Amino acid sequence: MASHPDTIVDCSKVYVKKSTFSNEETGDFDGAFAAVAFKEGDLIEKGVMRRLPEGFDGNTCQYIFTWSEDRPCKTWGMGSGCAPFYNTCKEGTANTRMVRHFDEDKFEIYATRDIAQDEELLHTYISLKWRTCFSDLNDIVNKEG
């Protein structure tokens, strides 16, 4: 089924299940997966971002998005669809990229390479290196080896 042409949220080509990165050390957590195969440059998902109240500290919550280019960031958002379930990876290795339209509070996620059906979808969090809630994750993702 095709999505409605007027929709501002479409995650119909993505599903969520236990991440392939879950293990005894990390415990179980979810990930986003390709419901269909994608070619490099394909739109995977689009959605909206809901800004959180002023004063919210995104450094304490890993489930929200950095929603400005300002550093330190003071604008945080809650993403629609499956976007909150995309896990991160080392810079330059992600199979997706998120295009942020801060002025419209919308985003689009595109394939950075061909992606097989049922492959886990990953993008590098723009705040991975500096958000305190990601300090342990940053160490794991950027570990040599």
Side-chain angles (χ1 to χ4, degrees):
M1 179 175 131
S3 64
H4 191 279
D6 294 335
T7 189
I8 58 173
V9 176
D10 183 5
C11 58
S12 61
K13 297 176 184 172
V14 179
Y15 67 96
V16 175
K17 70 174 190 175
K18 181 180 170 181
S19 174
T20 59
F21 297 100
S22 294
N23 59 49
E24 286 185 22
E25 184 180 339
T26 64
D28 289 347
F29 58 93
D30 296 320
F33 291 80
V36 299
F38 294 101
K39 294 288 186 194
E40 181 178 348
D42 282 354
L43 176 66
I44 297 172
E45 177 174 355
K46 66 179 181 177
V48 297
M49 196 66 59
R50 295 295 180 229
R51 292 178 187 238
L52 295 172
E54 190 173 325
F56 186 90
D57 184 3
N59 287 300
T60 64
C61 181
Q62 60 185 334
Y63 302 109
I64 57 149
F65 290 81
T66 303
W67 202 245
S68 78
E69 293 177 337
D70 298 335
R71 301 296 176 264
C73 185
K74 294 183 178 154
T75 307
W76 307 95
M78 182 176 62
S80 65
C82 296
F85 297 97
Y86 287 57
N87 288 311
T88 196
C89 58
K90 187 180 281 194
E91 196 168 337
T93 64
N95 58 9
T96 72
R97 67 180 171 84
M98 179 182 275
V99 176
R100 294 161 177 83
H101 303 283
F102 296 125
D103 58 330
E104 300 175 53
D105 289 335
K106 294 180 182 177
F107 66 87
E108 298 158 338
I109 300 175
Y110 291 92
T112 59
R113 60 165 175 77
D114 291 354
I115 299 172
Q117 182 176 357
D118 299 319
E119 184 176 342
E120 188 160 4
L121 301 170
L122 304 170
H123 75 98
T124 303
Y125 302 163
I126 62 172
S127 58
L128 179 63
K129 293 181 179 176
W130 56 265
R131 273 173 72 185
T132 53
C133 63
F134 289 148
S135 61
D136 290 343
L137 181 59
N138 185 44
D139 292 343
I140 293 167
V141 168
N142 289 299
K143 181 171 47 175
E144 292 298 320

